[in-house]
Amino acid sequence: ATAAVTVTQDSLLNVCMDAKHHKTEPGPEGQLYGQCVLWKDNACCTANTSLEAHRDQSYLYNFNWDHCGAMPEKCKRHFIQDTCLYECSPNLGPWIDQTDTSWRKERIRDVPLCQEDCEQWWEDCQDAVTCKVNWHKGWNWTTGTNQCPKGTMCQKFRFVFPTAAALCEQVWSGSYRYTSHHRGSGRCIQMWFDPAQGNPNVAVAQYYA
């Protein structure tokens, strides 16, 4: 029985999900760009994906952050970091879930985000403007990029997402879970970390696997 358990546990560690731009398995990427550089020692994303993650209208998903006017830079950096974590991290195995959409076979669900990462995201984005709670679906894509659907109103994040938990849990339909765990506790995934100190999310994935 132990052997079987180990196999399943190992299959959750150091893996890439089966999604649109992910590599089949993680490995070093010398040239990761900008905020994605944290993962260069072991990444599920390519250098090109990391570059595109920083563009306002990247070919990754043709997704436009500025759908209700320009998103402030201090807010945008959190969405870029969220994209880098999603595309590059090999430590999301315990939360990979099957999904069947045209563009991916797997997604993440309920990844326990560290409280500080979530609070700071909300703090820096509360004055940004959007028209939707769940950014995964329901957009008007007729122009080839996401636009607010008819009848929706652009409002500040703090009205659309009244709490940090609401933002982290709802914006990508349950991909993240707000936790009261703190950075460095080994119990929550950090969107931000100092790569010189190693990647803290390796231990978190092991704990939950």
Side-chain angles (χ1 to χ4, degrees):
T2 329
V5 172
T6 323
V7 170
T8 9
Q9 186 183 13
D10 285 350
S11 64
L12 297 177
L13 298 175
N14 199 32
V15 289
C16 299
M17 71 189 103
D18 182 0
K20 193 172 180 182
H21 301 289
H22 288 69
K23 300 192 315 197
T24 46
E25 45 195 55
E29 283 291 331
Q31 300 298 311
L32 290 191
Y33 179 77
Q35 290 173 224
C36 295
V37 77
L38 310 189
W39 287 275
K40 72 179 172 51
D41 293 342
N42 193 28
C44 285
C45 60
T46 61
N48 201 21
T49 297
S50 72
L51 179 65
E52 288 292 326
H54 292 71
R55 300 207 171 155
D56 283 350
Q57 183 93 45
S58 85
Y59 82 83
L60 294 179
Y61 305 100
N62 288 324
F63 195 89
N64 179 16
W65 306 122
D66 304 330
H67 50 265
C68 278
M71 179 184 276
E73 287 306 316
K74 67 175 182 177
C75 173
K76 192 172 288 178
R77 70 190 191 99
H78 290 276
F79 281 98
I80 291 171
Q81 197 67 12
D82 151 59
T83 305
C84 288
L85 176 73
Y86 171 80
E87 299 290 350
C88 305
S89 176
N91 312 122
L92 300 174
W95 304 280
I96 290 177
D97 201 16
Q98 303 306 306
T99 180
D100 207 13
T101 51
S102 57
W103 52 282
R104 60 179 181 179
K105 294 278 173 279
E106 294 179 332
R107 58 162 291 187
I108 45 171
R109 206 182 285 278
D110 293 329
V111 172
L113 264 198
C114 294
Q115 185 174 13
E116 295 88 339
D117 288 39
C118 192
E119 296 283 352
Q120 196 60 55
W121 190 354
W122 187 81
E123 195 61 41
D124 289 344
C125 287
Q126 51 176 328
D127 290 324
V129 183
T130 185
C131 53
K132 282 181 58 40
V133 171
N134 182 349
W135 289 14
H136 263 149
K137 48 180 190 240
W139 296 99
N140 169 2
W141 286 96
T142 48
T143 58
T145 179
N146 56 307
Q147 291 180 301
C148 292
K150 236 196 192 107
T152 55
M153 189 170 76
C154 289
Q155 301 182 77
K156 288 194 169 176
F157 268 44
R158 67 171 98 104
F159 301 117
V160 180
F161 305 107
T163 61
L167 169 62
C168 295
E169 295 183 352
Q170 294 171 349
V171 71
W172 299 124
S173 57
S175 294
Y176 296 118
R177 183 164 57 80
Y178 178 86
T179 73
S180 52
H181 296 302
H182 294 291
R183 303 168 61 91
S185 65
R187 299 289 178 267
C188 57
I189 290 288
Q190 292 179 209
M191 272 169 55
W192 307 82
F193 56 87
D194 173 4
Q197 310 284 318
N199 179 343
N201 297 333
V202 174
V204 180
Q206 282 167 342
Y207 173 77
Y208 286 99

